[in-house]
Amino acid sequence: MLQRVLVVFSGVGRDGEMRTGEPGGAFVAGGGTEREEQRAELAMPGPEALAKIRADIDRYNLERPGVARAAILRTVLYMGGWAAVCVLIFWLAQRQGAASNVLGYILAGVLISGYFIYDLSQSAHKAYQQSLRDRLLPALFGFVDGVIYRHGHKPRQLERMPGNDFVSRTKTTHGDMLAGTFDGLDFTLGETELAIGSGKNRTVSFKGVIVYINQEEGFPGQLLAAKRPNRFAKTLRDLFSSSLLLPVQSGDPQIDASHEFRTDNLEAAKARLPDLAKALDYLGDVWRDDVVRIAIQHKDSFLLVPSNKDFFELPSIHTPLDFDRHVQPMIRDLVAMLATARLVSKI
């Protein structure tokens, strides 16, 4: 994935056309094998950081078997106690001649309580794993200057992200967040889910990674490359929206079929759209889960990369942690994402 993102700076588009150089000054060519090797080398922790990471992994693997046994014992005790109480309740209900509908309510209560009891039994080792992430991930990404890692934290930059014209949401859920400076690029990256409504009416409008970066040249206004809505959703939005943004075409039929471009500065947007369309074409080859979205607002850029993957996932407590299998891929995924963000910052 790392090399693929780097090659995409001067690679082949989805239409099969070979593209090289720096179209419109918006893209930086990969610079060949030497440049890729430099980025790969830059991405890996230095000897001291690597030694600390391996020491943390060894410490975790020494503690892990005891934590895993305790987790199994806790689950057996919790669920065993729950099962005993359930049997007692059913026995008492039948002895009292409870009606079948009453037994049905009891069964529903038993199943619901079982879910919460099981979740409670898992909470201790989940907290242990999160404590490992809290101390391991900053060391793991020590090649990022001023690295900050948090879990469940809303990045303050998201408050500036454009609203329903870009992506509709009434609720946001945040996973892991990473911020810092990599190779001169300031960024904030967070695993985020955006949704509309609640309960049975809840619809996920985006799930993946949102990357905030500073635009190198800035844009005099707002330029959005959003996922093209279906006809019904677009009609409802046009009827009830008070947005001042105007639609504009990129000129690339394939990109215009998947994306809707809107702006409050048509003249400036027309100059940027060719490069924006080419960037989306490249990114569509690399991140294929869904449509990649980009919002540029003065110096602010928001890159929304859809993905069902947990980029900072660790194996279960019952599996030993291995640097090559579990840790190194995190580094490569992060660098791939930051290479993508750098591409966007130059549009």
Side-chain angles (χ1 to χ4, degrees), residues 190-212:
E191 294 176 327
T192 308
E193 181 179 278
L194 308 177
I196 308 167
S198 59
K200 293 182 179 180
N201 296 321
R202 183 176 184 272
T203 302
V204 175
S205 53
F206 173 80
K207 181 178 181 180
V209 175
I210 298 180
V211 188
Y212 167 81

Side-chain angles (χ1 to χ4, degrees), residues 148 150 152-162 169 172 174 177-180 186-190 192 210 212 214 297 300 302:
I148 298 173
R150 292 177 182 170
H153 175 80
K154 179 182 178 180
R156 57 183 174 79
Q157 291 88 351
L158 279 189
E159 297 176 1
R160 303 201 297 270
M161 190 170 78
R169 71 269 192 187
T172 61
H174 303 280
M177 185 208 81
L178 199 72
D186 295 330
F187 72 92
T188 299
L189 179 154
T192 308
I210 298 180
Y212 167 81
N214 282 322
Q297 184 173 257
D300 295 331
F302 299 90

